[in-house]
Amino acid sequence: MVESKPVLRALVNGAGPTGALTAFALADAGWQVQISDPLPAAVLLERSRAYAFTHSSQRLLEQLGLWSAVQALLVPFRSLELLDLATQRQVPFCLADLGSRRAAAPAAAVGWVGQHRPLMTLLLERLGAHPAITLELGTPPPHAAAKQPPHDLIVAADGPHSPSREALGIGVLQWAYRQNCLTALVQLRGSADDQAWELLRPEGPFAVLPLGDGLFQLVWSAPAQRCRQLESLGDSAFLDALAGALPDQLQPDALLDDPRAFPVALLLARRLHRGHTVLVGESGHRCHPVGGQGLNLCWRDVATLHRLARRTAAGRLAVHRLPAAYARRRWPDLLLTLLATDLLVRFFSNRSPLLLPLRHLALLLLAKLAPLRQLSLSAMTDGPCQLLRR
Ligand SMILES: Cc1cc2nc3c(=O)[nH]c(=O)nc-3n(C[C@H](O)[C@H](O)[C@H](O)COP(=O)(O)OP(=O)(O)OC[C@H]3O[C@@H](n4cnc5c(N)ncnc54)[C@H](O)[C@@H]3O)c2cc1C
């Protein structure tokens, strides 16, 4: 008689971008998944923000069979201009810096930009329709005492203030940056529609991300008080301030939403698992938005969980060993990415006369040496651990 394999069950707390993708990853690995969020769908969708996606995220979406649908919602950028405004040094990253294999792929891109609402609309629709996934939105989080089917794995994807992490008594290392981050949607002239910008300004990094048809998402880091002041300006005063912050070739024409400032912090949980719960996404870590690493780092957690969940479903990893195996594999990427983003912010957010010559030299070498650009782009798009594997 053939013994049937037991069904593996997971509960995912949180249906933000990380929780949603985790549910797909576990279902793809053959698990039965329950995903819940106290917020109703309308609230989950209403965030006005855009994300820059790297190749590590593209790979995961591809593995989960979601890439072609998601790609249709994204705007690719084929060049990334890195410009240090204190030294006036500019380094263009282009498709060739991805390496010949990726640069030759059809629809090759350095990265992609997508808005939150269409992305989450697609993910929530697909979650609702997936036969192995039960989606519960707008319901209070399952109470510990409530009768629950036993879960082999609980995934805390409930954001930076994670109630699951707190309930497990897992502490965090964290500090708030003096900088806040302001996001706004604007119409700009002077940049191609497939060109993204990372401006290194003494008050903080500033990303300009293309959304097509002359629209750009700004992710503008600056001291907290400056962000609050910018947030309170009327449209024309905001556009004047923006024109003063951008390099001369970029000219803002219109402000298309209300600029919103949010605090920026570095956060790292002291452990990534306890019992059969794992912390995934911003419940476990948070970093400065420089280089657009945040959500991509969260999705690399999901990619690791996906691989381990498949091994468990195939009987090659005992389910009780999965949480510790997940944590072991995630530490190097998390530590290196948090360290790299922190160092970048400290190195470039100033006009220190001691650092300016070093910055000059670093950017000169980056502009002149293609292999150095390839290494930097690989660290940015696949995570810094890729450099150790070369
Ligand atoms: C104001 C703001 C603006 C941002 N703008 C940008 C940007 O422009 N570009 C960018 O790349 N990144 C941006 N970020 C960061 C980006 O939003 C995060 O990287 C991303 O949302 C992390 O996804 P997540 O799913 O891990 O967490 P979250 O998106 O925080 O999702 C967590 C989910 O858990 C749910 N939850 C809470 N408690 C419970 C519970 N007890 N049980 C179950 N579920 C629960 C929450 O309702 C929420 O839906 C911004 C962040 C903020 C705060």
Side-chain angles (χ1 to χ4, degrees):
M1 196 175 86
V2 183
E3 249 183 66
S4 64
K5 279 192 191 162
V7 177
L8 292 161
R9 293 180 196 282
L11 171 67
V12 180
N13 287 328
T18 307
L21 223 58
T22 303
F24 287 116
L26 293 169
D28 181 70
W31 292 51
Q32 286 290 327
V33 186
Q34 180 188 350
I35 172 167
S36 78
D37 198 297
L39 298 179
V43 180
L44 280 171
L45 296 179
E46 82 186 1
R47 296 172 181 175
S48 166
R49 56 185 83 156
Y51 308 104
F53 294 101
T54 64
H55 283 257
S56 62
S57 294
Q58 187 263 348
R59 239 183 350 261
L60 174 66
L61 290 166
E62 187 113 41
Q63 283 162 7
L64 299 180
L66 290 165
W67 175 241
S68 56
V70 171
Q71 189 182 17
L73 306 173
L74 305 183
V75 175
F77 54 93
R78 297 188 177 86
S79 75
L80 168 67
E81 301 292 329
L82 181 70
L83 172 59
D84 181 3
L85 283 128
T87 60
Q88 286 301 324
R89 282 240 146 253
Q90 184 162 346
V91 181
F93 289 90
C94 60
L95 289 178
D97 297 320
L98 287 170
S100 49
R101 190 177 50 84
R102 274 183 181 161
V110 171
W112 298 262
V113 184
Q115 287 183 291
H116 175 86
R117 178 181 273 276
L119 175 74
M120 283 307 293
T121 303
L122 173 82
L123 294 182
L124 293 183
E125 269 172 23
R126 295 277 179 108
L127 283 176
H130 200 297
I133 297 175
T134 310
L135 176 64
E136 294 167 352
L137 298 182
T139 53
H143 190 270
K147 194 150 174 48
Q148 289 281 320
H151 293 107
D152 299 287
L153 180 71
I154 298 180
V155 180
D158 44 3
H161 308 291
S162 172
S164 311
R165 186 186 68 220
E166 281 177 18
L168 289 169
I170 300 179
V172 294
L173 281 172
Q174 67 174 325
W175 63 82
Y177 287 100
R178 269 184 246 147
Q179 294 171 6
N180 274 12
C181 187
L182 183 109
T183 57
L185 184 65
V186 296
Q187 185 114 37
L188 280 184
R189 268 174 299 134
S191 179
D193 269 351
D194 62 355
Q195 192 173 29
W197 297 75
E198 182 76 56
L199 308 170
L200 300 167
R201 305 180 67 247
E203 60 175 13
F206 187 151
V208 180
L209 305 171
L211 286 166
D213 299 327
L215 301 187
F216 290 83
Q217 172 83 20
L218 308 179
V219 186
W220 182 352
S221 308
Q225 204 184 347
R226 168 89 169 130
C227 283
R228 277 195 297 275
Q229 183 225 350
L230 287 166
E231 208 180 15
S232 65
L233 295 176
D235 286 17
S236 64
F238 180 86
L239 290 173
D240 287 346
L242 177 59
L246 292 173
D248 290 344
Q249 64 262 48
L250 301 181
Q251 292 127 22
D253 277 341
L255 175 63
L256 302 169
D257 70 353
D258 293 330
R260 285 273 167 264
F262 64 97
V264 184
L266 184 147
L267 178 146
L268 186 60
R270 289 181 190 276
R271 342 173 16 126
L272 295 175
H273 76 103
R274 176 155 279 163
H276 61 316
T277 301
V278 290
L279 306 187
V280 170
E282 291 210 342
S283 67
H285 50 83
R286 214 173 176 192
C287 62
H288 192 287
V290 64
Q293 291 299 301
L295 186 57
N296 297 290
L297 185 62
C298 295
W299 283 9
R300 292 208 290 274
D301 293 348
V302 180
T304 300
L305 199 58
H306 182 220
R307 283 193 290 278
L308 293 171
R310 284 166 66 165
R311 284 181 58 193
T312 307
R316 288 188 283 121
L317 175 70
V319 68
H320 69 276
R321 294 198 189 281
L322 187 156
Y326 163 80
R328 269 197 310 280
R329 282 166 177 73
R330 288 309 296 145
W331 281 121
D333 187 26
L334 296 185
L335 290 172
L336 284 176
T337 305
L338 265 55
L339 184 69
T341 50
D342 189 67
L343 288 178
L344 270 179
V345 173
R346 288 175 201 279
F347 193 52
F348 285 103
S349 302
N350 61 73
R351 281 186 200 278
S352 161
L354 287 177
L355 291 179
L356 283 180
L358 275 179
R359 284 160 60 170
H360 221 288
L361 180 65
L363 294 169
L364 179 69
L365 291 175
L366 206 53
K368 294 266 179 240
L369 302 176
L372 204 54
R373 282 200 305 282
Q374 286 177 9
L375 280 181
S376 319
L377 195 56
S378 167
M380 220 170 1
T381 200
D382 293 316
C385 285
Q386 284 307 312
L387 302 186
L388 306 177
R389 290 192 195 116
R390 281 173 174 244

